[in-house]
Amino acid sequence: MENTYASPSSGELSSFNSMSGTTTRPVKIIPLQHPSTTTATSSSSSFSGVLTRWSAKVKRMTWMEWIEFFLPCYRWISTYRWREYLQPDLMAGVTVGVMLVPQSMSYAKLAGLQPIYGLYSGFVPIFVYALFGSSRQLAIGPVALTSLLVSNVLGSIVDSSEALYTELAILLALMVGVFECIMGILRLGWLIRFISHSVISGFTTASAIVIALSQAKYFLGYDITRSSKIIPLVKSIISGADKFSWPPFVMGSIILAIILTMKHLGKSRKCLRFLRAAGPLTAVVLGTTFVTIYHPSSITLVGEIPQGLPKFSVPKEFGHIKSLIPTAMLITGVAILESVGIAKALAAKNGYELDSNRELFGLGVANIFGSFFSAYPTTGSFSRSAVNHESGAKTGLSGIIMGIIMGCALQFLTPLFEYIPQCALAAIVISAVIGLVDYEEATFLWRVDKRDFLLWTITCITTLFLGIEIGVLIGVGVSLAFVIHESANPHIAVLGRLPGTTVYRNSQQYPEAYTYNGIVIVRIDAPIYFANINYIKDRLREYEIDNDGSTKHGPEVTRVHFVIIEMAPVTYIDSSAIQALKDLHQEYKSRHIQIAISNPNREVLMTLARSGVIDLIGKEWYFVRVHDAVQVCLQHVQSLNESSKKPERFLENNNRPGRFQNLLKQRTEDYSISQLESGCPQNLTSSDDNTHLEPLLSRKS
């Protein structure tokens, strides 16, 4: 629908036009549909509308959908294709299960716990997650980063040799599970989006270096200080150099080289990908065989491991909850960023949808149940999940197979684990964390975004030198500071018209775009609220004075008469911005400048209507398109320009063309307008060479 639209009503201009004899050429614009008062007021009940839609959705759910809601495993169980899925699930489960057994013992040592608790953590949580988790390929269990966090916080509270240390680790699993469940139920996973990938990459890189250095004691043959900071670790390694022992160093280095070689071959060649999962098991077998044959006294062993499945027990020591809350929240954040991120990526590769909040709830339930069976915090493992996917896992049955293998190891194989060299377990940990040193990400950020590279560097350095918690806090703080800065200083573009079109784009991005004398067209590329409204007002004042250097068309005027604000990108406007907009209108009005608003979305338009800004500025100054606003404003500018040339026009009246010539000229212009706005502009010529009548027809200057 189009309306024939002359200039908005203005007493001054109308009186002038009638006096001067000027006829305003009608233009065609699309009318903007203003919200009624009833519609604007009813938006306050949007919350009740959300509740109504939610209740209607709940009522429509069938009993099968309710089962899927509480037990996501029902979805793959009900559609399981035995002939197609059983073999790959069995192969993947066995492969990752064999990989999990030695890794879980290694990570338990990293956490400062006995190896048996790593085996416990890889048993019950796997079965629970298979029932409540949404991902069909995610392999959960102990991981290096979580183990380091556990060691870091508990080491500052109690010595790892005391029973309290183990109790607190189990209590931490319960707390992490509760946090994850709460965030999943309340759908608060979006909060972690404020932690950028640069922060996580810098944090994991620094953590990997700290983990590798903390495992050096098993290679060097002497104890080093337990710390999450690099300086105490390096000092401890250097100060104990006189106690260096060659046998564990040689054995650990050889085993590490074997694991890395197998890992590389497994990644680079599909026919040898089983080697990637077999690396940790190979390390354990080789180390145990060597120790059993030669009995070297200088190589420390794992020692006796209790045999049997874990027993049910309620976590204790609830008096230490307050001191564990920060670490529990940090581990929850790591679980969301790593586990949910991995799970969503695997879901996309395997063609099914995954709800991140439901996935978070599944991880929480797994940790809660695990804490009742002596498990410390678990989460999704990137390396084991990748192997599970590459091995062809189709459903959660592969996770159940992993749990069965872990149960068999606990029930029958723990006597064999007594002779595993600790340097072999350390080699497994180091081989796993080498992949976390993300130097490729750093080089990528340096090329693409120097600010993100700075954020990565700050997080990595502070984590290395100040500790894990402080490093993460500083990284997140700097990341939020960048976000706030961007939000408080939004991008504002001066728009110009692309030649031969009715399209208006950033004049800096498109140098060929031209602007009009007396009119400033700006686009605000962000929500408008209290934090950025002053910046926006300052920029608008600058645009009145500054010349952006673009080509100018239209009547020659000495100052700005109109400011057109393109509000299509503005998704929200708050009360502070509304008041500032009113003040800006009054300020412009005192300087005889008119504001025009283009293409506000429905919510913004209703906010403007409720606040009275639409009536204050005038409904006639709201437009669907920037081009519509430009046409109307140009008519005003043309009229103002002609008023300054009134004597000249009076002398020209005697030579005014006849009525037939005016009608012919008008029909030519209307024809060119319809062609231009239909997207098929042609090189139409006109007897009128006056470039001041540019508003509707693009002409080459």
Side-chain angles (χ1 to χ4, degrees):
M1 175 181 177
E2 291 187 343
N3 285 356
T4 300
Y5 193 102
S7 302
S9 58
S10 171
E12 182 182 348
L13 291 174
S14 299
S15 61
F16 167 75
N17 289 338
S18 61
M19 292 172 57
S20 61
T22 302
T23 57
T24 304
R25 182 176 60 184
V27 296
K28 295 180 179 180
I29 70 168
I30 302 172
L32 180 67
Q33 299 297 325
H34 288 275
S36 64
T37 306
T38 305
T39 306
T41 305
S42 64
S43 65
S44 59
S45 60
S46 58
F47 180 72
S48 61
V50 172
L51 290 178
T52 303
R53 291 192 297 270
W54 181 82
S55 61
K57 181 180 178 181
V58 170
K59 290 178 182 178
R60 290 196 303 267
M61 290 179 65
T62 63
W63 65 272
M64 293 183 63
E65 290 175 334
W66 278 109
I67 293 176
E68 287 184 7
F69 181 80
F70 290 104
L71 291 174
C73 64
Y74 180 76
R75 181 177 298 178
W76 61 262
I77 290 175
S78 60
T79 59
Y80 196 84
R81 303 174 186 175
W82 290 94
R83 293 184 178 180
E84 185 178 347
Y85 291 167
L86 183 59
Q87 183 178 354
D89 278 343
L90 287 174
M91 291 296 296
V94 171
T95 301
V96 180
V98 168
M99 183 180 181
L100 174 61
V101 173
Q103 275 194 349
S104 60
M105 291 189 291
S106 304
Y107 294 146
K109 294 293 292 181
L110 174 61
L113 299 167
Q114 294 298 317
I116 187 63
Y117 292 101
L119 298 174
Y120 290 162
S121 300
F123 180 55
V124 172
I126 289 181
F127 287 107
V128 177
Y129 179 80
L131 297 176
F132 293 95
S134 302
S135 177
R136 305 174 190 179
Q137 286 80 28
L138 187 69
I140 73 164
V143 297
L145 193 53
T146 301
S147 301
L148 177 64
L149 293 171
V150 171
S151 172
N152 181 59
V153 67
L154 298 187
S156 61
I157 298 175
V158 64
D159 188 81
S160 60
S161 60
E162 298 183 16
L164 178 61
Y165 188 97
T166 303
E167 292 292 341
L168 292 181
I170 296 170
L171 176 62
L172 193 58
L174 176 63
M175 294 175 63
V176 169
V178 170
F179 280 139
E180 290 174 339
C181 285
I182 291 175
M183 294 189 72
I185 292 172
L186 300 181
R187 307 186 71 83
L188 297 177
W190 59 270
L191 291 173
I192 308 299
R193 298 175 192 168
F194 287 98
I195 305 178
S196 72
H197 180 70
S198 302
V199 172
I200 295 301
S201 177
F203 168 69
T204 53
T205 297
S207 299
I209 295 172
V210 171
I211 290 171
L213 290 176
S214 68
Q215 297 298 295
K217 62 181 180 180
Y218 301 115
F219 275 57
L220 302 177
Y222 58 88
D223 289 334
I224 61 176
T225 302
R226 180 188 295 270
S227 177
S228 63
K229 304 174 185 177
I230 190 171
I231 292 179
L233 287 172
V234 173
K235 283 184 176 180
S236 180
I237 291 173
I238 294 174
S239 62
D242 56 329
K243 303 175 185 176
F244 176 75
S245 177
W246 280 103
F249 179 79
V250 173
M251 174 179 279
S253 300
I254 293 173
I255 292 176
L256 178 61
I258 292 173
I259 295 174
L260 293 178
T261 302
M262 296 177 69
K263 192 175 185 180
H264 174 72
L265 292 174
K267 282 184 176 181
S268 58
R269 300 183 182 181
K270 288 186 177 181
C271 60
L272 299 176
R273 62 186 179 187
F274 68 92
L275 292 177
R276 181 179 179 183
L281 180 63
T282 303
V284 168
V285 171
L286 290 177
T288 304
T289 303
F290 180 84
V291 168
T292 304
I293 296 174
Y294 295 101
H295 303 285
S297 58
S298 57
I299 296 179
T300 57
L301 307 179
V302 169
E304 184 178 356
I305 296 178
Q307 188 173 4
L309 302 178
K311 297 179 181 179
F312 178 85
S313 62
V314 178
K316 305 173 184 177
E317 306 298 338
F318 287 95
H320 292 81
I321 284 182
K322 187 176 180 180
S323 60
L324 297 178
I325 287 178
T327 302
M329 295 179 66
L330 183 57
I331 294 174
T332 303
V334 171
I336 297 174
L337 291 165
E338 289 196 351
S339 300
V340 178
I342 297 167
K344 293 187 78 170
L346 292 175
K349 288 182 179 180
N350 288 273
Y352 63 91
E353 294 183 359
L354 185 138
D355 185 344
S356 57
N357 289 291
R358 191 177 298 180
E359 177 68 13
L360 191 57
F361 178 78
L363 289 170
V365 174
N367 272 301
I368 290 174
F369 274 86
S371 68
F372 291 104
F373 292 91
S374 302
Y376 75 97
T378 59
T379 187
S381 166
F382 179 80
S383 59
R384 293 195 298 271
S385 299
V387 171
N388 197 33
H389 169 68
E390 292 169 2
S391 300
K394 300 296 183 183
T395 67
L397 180 62
S398 61
I400 295 175
I401 301 299
M402 296 177 212
I404 292 174
I405 291 176
M406 182 62 75
C408 293
L410 284 167
Q411 190 68 35
F412 306 111
L413 301 179
T414 50
L416 300 177
F417 299 156
E418 180 179 350
Y419 300 101
I420 297 176
Q422 300 222 39
C423 60
L425 297 181
I428 294 173
V429 173
I430 294 173
S431 67
V433 300
I434 284 177
L436 298 178
V437 180
D438 204 356
Y439 61 89
E440 292 181 355
E441 178 71 11
T443 56
F444 172 77
L445 293 176
W446 174 259
R447 293 195 311 270
V448 175
D449 191 338
K450 299 294 190 297
R451 188 183 61 181
D452 278 346
F453 175 79
L454 177 63
L455 185 58
W456 185 94
T457 306
I458 290 173
T459 306
C460 183
I461 291 176
T462 53
T463 302
L464 281 174
F465 290 93
L466 301 180
I468 293 174
E469 287 87 352
I470 296 177
V472 170
L473 287 176
I474 292 177
V476 172
V478 175
S479 179
L480 290 177
F482 285 157
V483 171
I484 293 171
H485 179 269
E486 285 296 315
S487 179
N489 299 272
H491 179 261
I492 302 176
V494 175
L495 304 185
R497 182 177 175 180
L498 298 180
T501 72
T502 59
V503 176
Y504 293 78
R505 290 292 183 265
N506 187 345
S507 57
Q508 291 186 349
Q509 184 177 359
Y510 297 91
E512 68 274 15
Y514 56 87
T515 57
Y516 292 101
N517 293 310
I519 301 174
V520 175
I521 312 169
V522 297
R523 187 186 67 219
I524 302 171
D525 295 329
I528 306 175
Y529 69 114
F530 66 93
N532 63 15
I533 186 60
N534 288 328
Y535 174 82
I536 293 172
K537 288 172 64 177
D538 292 341
R539 293 296 301 275
L540 290 177
R541 293 189 186 102
E542 291 175 7
Y543 292 144
E544 289 183 53
I545 304 170
D546 294 345
N547 189 342
D548 61 354
S550 60
T551 305
K552 296 286 186 179
H553 285 212
E556 296 292 340
V557 292
T558 57
R559 67 178 185 86
V560 172
H561 293 278
F562 296 95
V563 174
I564 301 173
I565 303 177
E566 161 69 296
M567 298 189 74
V570 178
T571 57
Y572 168 75
I573 184 169
D574 73 349
S575 59
S576 299
I578 290 292
Q579 187 57 48
L581 198 58
K582 291 180 179 179
D583 296 340
L584 187 64
H585 170 72
Q586 296 298 331
E587 180 184 333
Y588 278 159
K589 188 176 180 181
S590 66
R591 299 203 301 273
H592 305 288
I593 298 175
Q594 176 65 51
I595 293 178
I597 305 295
S598 167
N599 196 21
N601 69 31
R602 181 176 179 273
E603 296 299 325
V604 171
L605 196 60
M606 288 188 359
T607 303
L608 295 175
R610 289 195 299 268
S611 62
V613 174
I614 288 182
D615 295 328
L616 179 66
I617 296 176
K619 287 187 177 181
E620 67 273 16
W621 293 107
Y622 288 80
F623 302 90
V624 173
R625 302 180 302 172
V626 173
H627 186 59
D628 294 344
V630 170
Q631 292 180 87
V632 173
C633 293
L634 271 174
Q635 283 196 340
H636 281 284
V637 174
Q638 178 70 18
S639 300
L640 291 169
N641 186 60
E642 289 176 351
S643 67
S644 64
K645 300 180 179 180
K646 181 177 178 181
E648 296 178 9
R649 291 190 58 84
F650 179 76
L651 293 174
E652 292 173 358
N653 284 341
N654 296 329
N655 299 324
R656 185 179 301 170
R659 182 177 180 181
F660 178 76
Q661 285 81 3
N662 285 335
L663 180 61
L664 182 62
K665 176 182 176 181
Q666 182 66 41
R667 289 175 61 85
T668 304
E669 289 176 344
D670 289 343
Y671 178 70
S672 64
I673 294 165
S674 62
Q675 280 200 324
L676 178 61
E677 296 191 353
S678 67
C680 303
Q682 296 179 1
N683 292 329
L684 299 173
T685 60
S686 172
S687 58
D688 178 23
D689 294 329
N690 184 3
T691 58
H692 295 322
L693 298 180
E694 173 63 18
L696 300 178
L697 181 61
S698 175
R699 294 176 182 160
K700 295 182 180 180
S701 56

